[in-house]
Amino acid sequence: MTEEIVRGARAAAGPGTAVLGLTPAWGPESAEGWLDSYLSAAAVIDRLRTYHGPPYDAVVMAGFGEHGREGVRELVDVPVVDITEAAAHLACLLGRRYGVVTTLERSCGQIEDSLELAGVGRNCAAVVGTGLGVLDLGDRERTEAAFLTAAEQARDAGAEVLVLGCAGMTGLQTTVAEKLGVPVVDGVGAAVKLAESLVHLGLTTSRAGSFARPVPKRRVWGKP
Amino acid sequence: MTEEIVRGARAAAGPGTAVLGLTPAWGPESAEGWLDSYLSAAAVIDRLRTYHGPPYDAVVMAGFGEHGREGVRELVDVPVVDITEAAAHLACLLGRRYGVVTTLERSCGQIEDSLELAGVGRNCAAVVGTGLGVLDLGDRERTEAAFLTAAEQARDAGAEVLVLGCAGMTGLQTTVAEKLGVPVVDGVGAAVKLAESLVHLGLTTSRAGSFARPVPKRRVWGKP
Amino acid sequence: MTEEIVRGARAAAGPGTAVLGLTPAWGPESAEGWLDSYLSAAAVIDRLRTYHGPPYDAVVMAGFGEHGREGVRELVDVPVVDITEAAAHLACLLGRRYGVVTTLERSCGQIEDSLELAGVGRNCAAVVGTGLGVLDLGDRERTEAAFLTAAEQARDAGAEVLVLGCAGMTGLQTTVAEKLGVPVVDGVGAAVKLAESLVHLGLTTSRAGSFARPVPKRRVWGKP
Amino acid sequence: MTEEIVRGARAAAGPGTAVLGLTPAWGPESAEGWLDSYLSAAAVIDRLRTYHGPPYDAVVMAGFGEHGREGVRELVDVPVVDITEAAAHLACLLGRRYGVVTTLERSCGQIEDSLELAGVGRNCAAVVGTGLGVLDLGDRERTEAAFLTAAEQARDAGAEVLVLGCAGMTGLQTTVAEKLGVPVVDGVGAAVKLAESLVHLGLTTSRAGSFARPVPKRRVWGKP
Amino acid sequence: MTEEIVRGARAAAGPGTAVLGLTPAWGPESAEGWLDSYLSAAAVIDRLRTYHGPPYDAVVMAGFGEHGREGVRELVDVPVVDITEAAAHLACLLGRRYGVVTTLERSCGQIEDSLELAGVGRNCAAVVGTGLGVLDLGDRERTEAAFLTAAEQARDAGAEVLVLGCAGMTGLQTTVAEKLGVPVVDGVGAAVKLAESLVHLGLTTSRAGSFARPVPKRRVWGKP
Amino acid sequence: MTEEIVRGARAAAGPGTAVLGLTPAWGPESAEGWLDSYLSAAAVIDRLRTYHGPPYDAVVMAGFGEHGREGVRELVDVPVVDITEAAAHLACLLGRRYGVVTTLERSCGQIEDSLELAGVGRNCAAVVGTGLGVLDLGDRERTEAAFLTAAEQARDAGAEVLVLGCAGMTGLQTTVAEKLGVPVVDGVGAAVKLAESLVHLGLTTSRAGSFARPVPKRRVWGKP
């Protein structure tokens, strides 16, 4: 899945932008629910903490509705954009209310919380599940059909714009937008553009207050 | 002032982006308060309605806290980004709470309303006035001093990121960010990057619901 | 339509109150959507600005959900009451939740925003469209039928009181209230009574803060 | 105190309106805090339940921030207006934010709750106590001085309009408005005008839902 | 009904806890709607005020959605727990959203208000009526069936946990929880456990601010 | 610190309750900020996942404002109570508004978010930092002094009840409550009582919706 996400990110990236996909060395094979999300958050932070490759200008976090973004903001000195908030930020610019279509119903609450805390929950009309697990998304035809059905529910709730509620749906946006007749935002692409924007403007996370650098102390990353 | 704003926009624009400054043919010479804002909204819409120059890919609206963005979204087929919401969208990515420093105190309420309706009001800690009129902003030294004073109030209210609350402040962001030690977002640059992002991703305003095309009817634009 | 609205206003007015109908000299022939609303706001303000008839004690603004009220509050020294907020203020006194039935679905969002900013959005259970344009309201039978259908939706959402969501519906309140068995508030009548109340109590718009008089400056009202 | 309130009500009433003051036959001698408020609510309802004088067209409830309005709405067939909500409804029309100045600090929370449930809490910037008990209000000079001090706090919190937060302050509005330079709303006068407005428009409490008539059953009003 | 509630309370109480049932000496025979609720609040406060039995360590108020808790907090020096808030506090610990199933539809609004003011309204997905009056609850089979039907509505609105919305439903929780497959919280039991918890921890109502002791004054409790 | 927390928990526990302290096998030595919080959440879940001791009836999570509670709710079949929410639930029963006094200012936002999502944020007047790190809390005198200073800020913001905002403060509640004259809630004790209450009432986390059991899949807990 990381490969597909990287492909989506590269499609969105501007000419001068190189995209490097990082997969955590540990964690769940996919994130569905809070337990997976917290485990994944720690693993993602650990991956970045131990990264020793060429320098990078920004971090895009590709777990839709997943935890971790604030921790990464503390860790790195470059801008950090999470695909959940990124999709919502762009969706707000395209209609008065937006909706999110995601995988399992159990993820809806987590996404709602993520949007709320990111400060973009107000104009979210609905978060709707398709009943598909993250690893079911490989079947594109079935995914598309399930997306269209769930999208109708979001439309009925007032959504004028839709958001792909899982990085694994990347690539679907054009087809479903055409069928639904409304704009569909892919969080991966959105996050890439927002990250590029922040970099271009010379902006990065504030160190004043919440996202100060981590206090130096002993930390053990996984069973010793 | 349009010139200065255009300069700010160009500084933010990517290599392939040409920026064309449009000033309404009528309206107030600057917008301070609701009366000016409504007059300006109508004049801005009229300017775009009667524009017959080369085609454009997106509209950036440069009146901070001013009305009109939804009307322009109805009118044109390309994405529309208002600098008020644009600055807030980026600011949300840089800290847990942001603050806005603007011109006259009377404009604060209008900006709060604009942020709220754009769906990004939740994480705004404060909107603070400097006591300066829009046309006073030419005096850069005085403006900077007034900005720093007002910024402290926003910091005390919890802001970790600041926003320049007037297009006429464009260019100030680097200096004050350095002095304050927090990121400062300029709405003009933010809007340019968001507009470029939407264009690059092939996204534009939803026609489903609120921002359908204007109903054909007789309209008179100013005293006949 | 102005005539019919004036008739509704006169029916509501107290014995000592004279009602004078003013139609803007320019603007859209009816207001449906944000573009119309902003154009209309500027034209309404211009009409009042250039009014040179006998003095008046209060202004009632009869565009349901339309922009402009704050600008008029800046301009004139007498109380200003908008029919949107007026209907909601009275509706709040008559039941725990109220609903609004309006014309086109595209206007619903604008009305929600207007109620929210006026401070009376909390107890609004729903804003529902009838699918009728403003100029279709002449057909009273069709309007009434459409109103009753939409009212049921508002009732299902918890509304215990209904509001006529367009000045062009004035006069309908008694019939539909009887058929629905709930109170129905007409914004025009409500605004007239609230305006009379403010005048009688010697109250007018605060100049402290948001609605200070417009800053003196050059303004051009329509294509020069 | 009832007399003074009646005097205030009569000063606000229109030519055709007769005001009859009713004092409950039991309850607290003044209401300060929740215990008093609930006791008073039951006593007020009992007074109206056992009233056998000439018919009346509306009820004004003169306990600022006190409970009971919904119970009276169930009981009587005429409109019911509480001075708390009434003052707030008119204050919303006069400025973007209003503040309330009341008696003891312990009453502030009760007033905030009352405004919130009435649907008009959004634009309330602050509720501030003067430290005076209800029965201290007889000393007008001291009351005025305390009001002006507390009003400054409300102004600092953003209030552009003020509300007298106790029926016992009726009559003070003109003096303090002049000294403060902002409109000051007296709830008693506001409620009288709103009640007259509802009567004139033929509107009364909805029976659909919350405020249906009380279910017939055995009720004992006070120690048997 | 008091007996049945006492039985429910005893079933929940810990080994060292004695439960004493108190019924007000006056008031409505059951509370349905605001009028009943205010009458009952005064009668309940009077009952406690005139209680001269053995000392007690805490007060549980068993009127679901009924008024009075803040008044009792002013009156007594021991902790006071209302079954409405108690059920909600525990429900919040058991799922992301909870729902309440109550008696008559007219009570739903009152319960929503009570939860909101208690500070636990945010995660309430729905309050649904069964159409049964308080005194109908004696028919357990009918009550259970009505509960299950209403519970489905709450589930559809997102409730993951249910609350028995009337003290008269005490005892039903186990059966319906099993049939519905979700936890069902009985407010009586919840309140007993919360009261025991506060007593055990040595905590009681704050006297600083809202719930100071009642100001000494003349009060008459019922028709003299 | 675990020992001290266990001591606090035992002091609060009822006669039949045994308290077993578990410290994660990995993670940060203390949690201050988001990075620590996410790392800690994963480590706590892993500790419970790999626990093979005697069975337990409930889990108390003792990281104030820390992440993880929803993940543990998915994992185990017994009730899970987090000290953040626990303290707030009890505080809501003791006054109209409560405040939290915590360690470093950087933790305030995290605590606010945690309270909000737990559904008990509404009545929180303020979260205030003392400037002390978690590991500074050993110095009881200094901690107490810092607590009292920060508590005044919370009082000024309207708090009538205070909450110890770190498990490391356990034991401080009695002293500071006496000095401040308001109830002070310790989250550890509160959580123990709430956990006992849920167990006694036979209630546990809902599996319907958000907190369904984790989907079976491959998960790696820490660097392989």
Side-chain angles (χ1 to χ4, degrees):
Chain A
M1 179 167 292
T2 301
E3 258 176 67
E4 208 162 334
I5 296 173
V6 167
R7 203 159 36 239
R10 283 190 182 133
T17 303
V19 176
L20 173 69
L22 288 184
T23 311
W26 47 283
E29 63 182 335
S30 73
E32 291 157 316
W34 270 273
L35 183 145
D36 284 353
S37 181
Y38 290 128
L39 175 57
S40 173
V44 164
I45 293 171
D46 189 39
R47 183 69 190 86
L48 282 163
R49 188 184 64 91
T50 57
Y51 171 83
H52 299 300
Y56 50 88
D57 295 309
V59 174
V60 164
M61 297 182 64
F64 204 95
E66 303 309 322
H67 292 85
R69 65 187 167 214
E70 304 92 345
V72 177
R73 284 188 177 131
E74 291 176 352
L75 182 70
V76 304
D77 287 324
V78 297
V80 175
V81 183
D82 159 43
I83 63 170
T84 327
E85 59 191 356
H89 283 298
L90 294 197
C92 283
L93 297 170
L94 300 169
R96 194 172 166 276
R97 293 289 181 268
Y98 68 92
V100 177
V101 172
T102 188
T103 52
L104 301 180
E105 277 71 12
R106 71 184 297 166
S107 300
C108 294
Q110 214 175 315
I111 292 170
E112 283 172 31
D113 291 355
S114 182
L115 294 170
E116 178 67 15
L117 296 185
V120 285
R122 183 190 190 273
N123 289 355
C124 179
V127 180
V128 185
T130 54
L132 300 177
V134 173
L135 303 179
D136 296 334
L137 301 180
D139 180 341
R140 283 282 141 157
E141 208 165 318
R142 188 175 158 214
T143 302
E144 190 186 307
F147 190 96
L148 294 174
T149 304
E152 283 312 316
Q153 274 183 262
R155 293 283 300 269
D156 288 349
E160 303 175 357
V161 180
L162 290 171
V163 163
L164 301 183
C166 180
M169 292 174 176
T170 296
L172 206 68
Q173 63 270 30
T174 319
T175 336
V176 294
E178 199 169 300
K179 297 208 172 156
L180 290 164
V182 299
V184 177
V185 182
D186 165 43
V188 175
V192 167
K193 298 319 282 182
L194 286 171
E196 288 177 340
S197 297
L198 295 173
V199 169
H200 188 97
L201 296 171
L203 292 166
T204 189
T205 305
S206 177
R207 289 300 188 188
S210 301
F211 305 136
R213 284 209 183 74
V215 175
K217 67 175 64 158
R218 206 169 54 83
R219 295 179 177 89
V220 183
W221 299 81
K223 202 164 305 177
Chain B
M1 179 167 294
T2 300
E3 258 175 67
E4 208 162 336
I5 296 173
V6 168
R7 203 159 36 239
R10 284 191 182 130
T17 304
V19 176
L20 173 68
L22 287 185
T23 312
W26 47 283
E29 63 182 336
S30 72
E32 291 157 315
W34 269 274
L35 182 146
D36 283 353
S37 181
Y38 289 128
L39 175 56
S40 172
V44 163
I45 295 172
D46 188 40
R47 183 69 192 85
L48 282 163
R49 188 185 64 91
T50 57
Y51 171 84
H52 298 301
Y56 50 88
D57 296 310
V59 174
V60 164
M61 297 182 63
F64 204 94
E66 304 308 322
H67 292 84
R69 65 188 167 215
E70 304 91 344
V72 176
R73 284 186 177 132
E74 292 177 351
L75 182 70
V76 303
D77 287 323
V78 297
V80 175
V81 183
D82 159 42
I83 63 170
T84 328
E85 59 191 356
H89 283 298
L90 294 197
C92 283
L93 297 170
L94 301 169
R96 195 171 165 276
R97 293 289 182 270
Y98 69 93
V100 177
V101 173
T102 189
T103 52
L104 301 179
E105 278 71 12
R106 72 183 297 166
S107 300
C108 295
Q110 214 175 313
I111 291 170
E112 283 172 32
D113 291 355
S114 181
L115 294 170
E116 178 67 15
L117 297 185
V120 284
R122 183 191 190 272
N123 290 355
C124 179
V127 180
V128 185
T130 53
L132 301 177
V134 173
L135 303 179
D136 296 333
L137 301 180
D139 180 343
R140 282 282 141 159
E141 209 166 317
R142 188 175 156 212
T143 302
E144 190 185 307
F147 190 97
L148 294 174
T149 305
E152 283 313 316
Q153 273 182 263
R155 294 282 300 270
D156 289 349
E160 303 175 357
V161 180
L162 290 171
V163 163
L164 301 183
C166 180
M169 292 175 178
T170 297
L172 206 67
Q173 64 269 29
T174 319
T175 335
V176 292
E178 198 169 300
K179 296 206 172 157
L180 290 164
V182 298
V184 177
V185 182
D186 165 42
V188 175
V192 167
K193 298 320 281 182
L194 286 171
E196 287 178 339
S197 297
L198 294 174
V199 170
H200 187 97
L201 296 170
L203 292 166
T204 189
T205 304
S206 177
R207 289 301 188 186
S210 301
F211 305 136
R213 284 208 183 75
V215 176
K217 68 176 62 158
R218 206 169 54 83
R219 295 178 179 91
V220 183
W221 299 81
K223 202 163 304 176
Chain C
M1 179 166 294
T2 301
E3 259 175 65
E4 208 162 334
I5 296 173
V6 167
R7 205 160 32 240
R10 285 191 181 132
T17 304
V19 176
L20 173 68
L22 288 185
T23 311
W26 46 282
E29 63 182 335
S30 72
E32 291 156 316
W34 269 273
L35 183 145
D36 284 351
S37 181
Y38 289 128
L39 175 56
S40 173
V44 163
I45 294 171
D46 189 38
R47 183 68 190 86
L48 282 163
R49 189 185 62 92
T50 57
Y51 171 83
H52 299 301
Y56 51 87
D57 295 310
V59 173
V60 164
M61 298 183 64
F64 204 95
E66 303 308 322
H67 292 84
R69 64 186 167 215
E70 304 91 344
V72 177
R73 285 188 175 130
E74 292 177 351
L75 181 70
V76 303
D77 287 324
V78 297
V80 175
V81 184
D82 158 43
I83 63 170
T84 327
E85 59 191 355
H89 283 298
L90 294 197
C92 283
L93 297 170
L94 300 169
R96 194 170 165 278
R97 293 289 182 270
Y98 69 93
V100 177
V101 173
T102 189
T103 53
L104 300 179
E105 278 70 14
R106 72 184 296 167
S107 299
C108 293
Q110 215 175 313
I111 291 171
E112 283 173 31
D113 291 355
S114 181
L115 294 169
E116 178 67 14
L117 296 186
V120 285
R122 185 191 189 271
N123 289 355
C124 180
V127 180
V128 185
T130 53
L132 300 177
V134 172
L135 304 179
D136 296 333
L137 301 180
D139 181 342
R140 283 282 142 159
E141 210 165 316
R142 187 174 158 215
T143 302
E144 190 185 307
F147 191 98
L148 294 174
T149 305
E152 283 312 316
Q153 272 183 265
R155 293 283 299 269
D156 288 350
E160 303 175 358
V161 180
L162 291 171
V163 163
L164 302 182
C166 179
M169 292 175 177
T170 296
L172 207 67
Q173 64 269 30
T174 318
T175 335
V176 293
E178 201 169 297
K179 297 207 173 158
L180 290 164
V182 299
V184 177
V185 183
D186 165 41
V188 176
V192 167
K193 299 319 281 181
L194 286 170
E196 287 178 340
S197 297
L198 294 173
V199 170
H200 187 97
L201 296 170
L203 293 166
T204 190
T205 305
S206 177
R207 289 300 188 186
S210 301
F211 304 136
R213 285 208 182 76
V215 175
K217 68 176 63 156
R218 206 169 54 83
R219 295 179 178 89
V220 183
W221 298 81
K223 201 164 304 178
Chain D
M1 179 167 294
T2 302
E3 259 175 66
E4 208 162 335
I5 297 173
V6 167
R7 206 162 31 242
R10 283 191 182 131
T17 303
V19 176
L20 174 68
L22 287 185
T23 312
W26 47 281
E29 63 181 337
S30 72
E32 291 157 317
W34 269 273
L35 182 145
D36 285 352
S37 181
Y38 289 128
L39 175 56
S40 173
V44 163
I45 294 171
D46 189 38
R47 183 69 191 85
L48 282 163
R49 190 185 63 91
T50 57
Y51 171 83
H52 298 301
Y56 51 87
D57 296 310
V59 174
V60 164
M61 297 183 63
F64 204 95
E66 304 307 323
H67 292 84
R69 66 188 168 214
E70 304 91 345
V72 177
R73 284 187 175 131
E74 291 177 352
L75 182 69
V76 303
D77 287 324
V78 297
V80 175
V81 183
D82 159 42
I83 63 170
T84 328
E85 59 191 356
H89 282 299
L90 295 197
C92 283
L93 297 170
L94 300 170
R96 196 171 164 275
R97 292 290 182 269
Y98 68 92
V100 177
V101 173
T102 189
T103 52
L104 301 179
E105 277 70 12
R106 70 184 298 167
S107 300
C108 295
Q110 214 174 314
I111 291 171
E112 283 173 30
D113 291 355
S114 181
L115 294 170
E116 178 67 15
L117 296 185
V120 284
R122 184 191 189 271
N123 289 356
C124 179
V127 179
V128 185
T130 53
L132 300 177
V134 173
L135 303 180
D136 296 334
L137 301 180
D139 181 341
R140 282 282 141 157
E141 208 165 316
R142 188 175 158 212
T143 303
E144 190 186 307
F147 190 97
L148 294 175
T149 304
E152 283 312 316
Q153 273 182 264
R155 294 283 299 270
D156 288 350
E160 302 175 357
V161 180
L162 290 171
V163 163
L164 301 183
C166 180
M169 291 174 177
T170 296
L172 207 67
Q173 64 270 29
T174 319
T175 335
V176 294
E178 200 169 297
K179 296 206 173 157
L180 290 164
V182 299
V184 176
V185 183
D186 166 41
V188 176
V192 167
K193 299 319 282 181
L194 286 170
E196 288 178 339
S197 298
L198 294 173
V199 170
H200 188 97
L201 297 170
L203 292 166
T204 190
T205 305
S206 177
R207 290 300 188 187
S210 300
F211 305 137
R213 284 209 182 75
V215 175
K217 67 175 64 158
R218 205 169 55 82
R219 294 179 179 91
V220 183
W221 298 81
K223 202 164 303 176
Chain E
M1 178 167 294
T2 302
E3 259 176 66
E4 207 162 335
I5 297 174
V6 167
R7 204 160 34 240
R10 284 191 182 131
T17 304
V19 176
L20 173 68
L22 287 184
T23 312
W26 46 283
E29 64 181 336
S30 72
E32 291 157 318
W34 269 272
L35 183 145
D36 284 352
S37 181
Y38 288 129
L39 175 56
S40 173
V44 163
I45 294 171
D46 189 38
R47 182 69 191 85
L48 282 163
R49 190 186 61 92
T50 58
Y51 170 83
H52 298 302
Y56 50 87
D57 295 310
V59 174
V60 164
M61 297 183 64
F64 203 94
E66 304 308 323
H67 292 85
R69 66 187 167 214
E70 304 90 345
V72 177
R73 283 186 177 134
E74 291 176 352
L75 182 70
V76 303
D77 286 325
V78 297
V80 175
V81 183
D82 159 42
I83 62 170
T84 327
E85 59 191 356
H89 283 299
L90 295 197
C92 283
L93 297 170
L94 301 170
R96 195 171 164 278
R97 293 288 182 269
Y98 68 93
V100 177
V101 173
T102 189
T103 52
L104 301 179
E105 277 70 12
R106 71 184 296 167
S107 300
C108 295
Q110 214 174 313
I111 291 170
E112 283 172 32
D113 291 356
S114 181
L115 294 169
E116 178 68 15
L117 296 186
V120 284
R122 184 190 189 272
N123 289 355
C124 179
V127 180
V128 185
T130 53
L132 300 178
V134 173
L135 304 179
D136 296 333
L137 301 180
D139 180 341
R140 283 283 141 158
E141 209 165 316
R142 188 175 158 213
T143 302
E144 190 185 307
F147 190 98
L148 295 173
T149 305
E152 283 313 316
Q153 272 183 264
R155 293 283 300 269
D156 288 350
E160 302 174 359
V161 180
L162 290 171
V163 163
L164 301 183
C166 180
M169 292 175 177
T170 297
L172 206 68
Q173 64 270 29
T174 318
T175 335
V176 294
E178 201 170 295
K179 296 207 173 157
L180 290 163
V182 300
V184 177
V185 183
D186 166 41
V188 175
V192 167
K193 299 319 282 181
L194 286 171
E196 288 178 340
S197 298
L198 295 174
V199 170
H200 188 97
L201 296 171
L203 291 167
T204 189
T205 305
S206 177
R207 289 299 188 188
S210 301
F211 304 136
R213 285 207 183 76
V215 175
K217 67 176 65 159
R218 206 169 55 82
R219 293 178 179 90
V220 183
W221 298 81
K223 201 164 305 177
Chain F
M1 177 166 295
T2 302
E3 259 175 68
E4 207 162 336
I5 296 175
V6 167
R7 203 158 36 240
R10 283 189 182 133
T17 304
V19 176
L20 173 68
L22 287 184
T23 311
W26 47 283
E29 63 181 335
S30 72
E32 292 157 316
W34 270 274
L35 182 144
D36 284 352
S37 181
Y38 289 128
L39 175 56
S40 173
V44 164
I45 294 171
D46 189 39
R47 183 67 191 86
L48 282 163
R49 190 185 62 91
T50 57
Y51 171 83
H52 298 302
Y56 50 86
D57 296 309
V59 174
V60 164
M61 298 182 64
F64 204 94
E66 304 308 323
H67 292 84
R69 65 187 168 214
E70 304 90 346
V72 177
R73 284 188 176 130
E74 292 177 352
L75 181 70
V76 303
D77 287 324
V78 297
V80 175
V81 183
D82 158 41
I83 63 170
T84 328
E85 59 191 355
H89 282 299
L90 294 197
C92 283
L93 297 170
L94 301 170
R96 194 171 166 276
R97 292 289 181 269
Y98 68 93
V100 177
V101 173
T102 188
T103 52
L104 300 179
E105 277 70 14
R106 71 185 296 166
S107 299
C108 294
Q110 215 174 314
I111 291 171
E112 283 172 32
D113 291 356
S114 181
L115 295 170
E116 178 67 15
L117 296 185
V120 284
R122 185 191 189 270
N123 290 355
C124 180
V127 180
V128 185
T130 53
L132 301 177
V134 172
L135 303 179
D136 297 332
L137 301 180
D139 180 342
R140 282 284 142 156
E141 208 166 316
R142 187 176 158 211
T143 302
E144 190 186 306
F147 190 97
L148 294 175
T149 304
E152 284 312 316
Q153 272 183 264
R155 294 283 298 271
D156 288 349
E160 302 175 358
V161 180
L162 291 171
V163 163
L164 301 183
C166 180
M169 292 176 177
T170 297
L172 206 68
Q173 64 269 30
T174 319
T175 336
V176 293
E178 200 169 297
K179 297 207 173 157
L180 290 164
V182 300
V184 176
V185 183
D186 165 43
V188 175
V192 168
K193 299 319 282 181
L194 287 170
E196 287 178 340
S197 298
L198 295 172
V199 170
H200 187 97
L201 296 171
L203 292 166
T204 189
T205 304
S206 177
R207 289 301 189 188
S210 301
F211 306 135
R213 284 208 183 75
V215 175
K217 67 175 64 157
R218 206 170 54 85
R219 293 178 179 90
V220 183
W221 298 82
K223 201 164 306 178

